[in-house]
Amino acid sequence: MFVLLDFDRNAIEKAIQAAELRTTGEIMVYLDQRRCEDALERAKEVFAAKGMTNTRERNGILLYTQLRQRDFVVLADEGIFSKVEPAFWQTLCDRVLRCFREKEMTVGILLGVMMAAEQLACHFPGDGTPRDNQLPNCTVEGE
């Protein structure tokens, strides 16, 4: 079994909580141990299964990490996706994957959370107070 030694879950969860104080958007980090042929297709399955399209403003962002292959996909629901240039999403993925190649897994995920949060705060600002979460702020682990 693959062990998640490369991740500081506590730091990631604190980063998600801090990010979500700045926005009405939602960020989910999904760490998948399942081997898959196509990380994008698996991320789409997770996006649907975890209810990422159920946020009020359609502003959920999934940061999906396929652990065994050290692959990464970012998926954004239509509310935020439509407001952000496509090149941004590719840049986010490239920067996270660069961290992964350097064996800085937590740094990569934290960078992804911060970059996603910037866009969410710009387009869906929050008021800085805790609110009801529509999605969990914890890292979610797949099989």
Side-chain angles (χ1 to χ4, degrees):
M1 182 165 153
F2 191 80
V3 181
L4 300 176
L5 296 177
D6 295 316
F7 289 95
D8 181 342
R9 286 186 203 88
N10 189 44
I12 293 168
E13 290 167 10
K14 284 182 180 180
I16 294 169
Q17 290 168 0
E20 290 185 1
L21 288 175
R22 301 174 46 214
T23 180
T24 62
E26 294 283 341
I27 299 171
M28 179 182 287
V29 172
Y30 192 91
L31 307 174
D32 201 348
Q33 295 194 55
R34 176 191 293 188
R35 185 172 300 282
C36 66
E37 294 295 319
D38 187 335
L40 176 59
E41 287 305 312
R42 176 69 179 132
K44 288 177 181 178
E45 291 172 10
V46 169
F47 196 86
K50 294 298 180 185
M52 298 293 298
T53 60
N54 295 336
T55 60
R56 285 182 284 280
E57 298 177 88
R58 302 293 303 264
N59 57 359
I61 297 177
L62 173 67
L63 304 178
Y64 171 85
T65 302
Q66 204 303 314
L67 295 168
R68 293 179 188 270
Q69 288 123 270
R70 301 220 177 200
D71 205 353
F72 178 81
V73 174
V74 60
L75 290 179
D77 203 358
E78 63 187 33
I80 183 64
F81 184 80
S82 66
K83 296 179 184 298
V84 178
E85 291 294 320
F88 167 79
W89 305 111
Q90 187 60 54
T91 299
L92 188 156
C93 285
D94 291 346
R95 293 184 69 192
V96 170
L97 285 169
R98 186 176 320 133
C99 291
F100 285 9
R101 283 191 300 275
E102 295 170 2
K103 306 229 185 313
E104 295 287 345
M105 304 293 283
T106 297
V107 171
I109 295 295
L110 292 173
L111 178 62
V113 168
M114 291 183 336
M115 290 178 70
E118 270 184 43
Q119 293 300 317
L120 285 169
C122 178
H123 299 288
F124 297 94
D127 62 7
T129 59
R131 58 184 167 70
D132 291 335
N133 279 311
Q134 299 169 71
L135 299 169
N137 286 346
C138 60
T139 55
V140 179
E141 294 179 33
E143 294 178 12

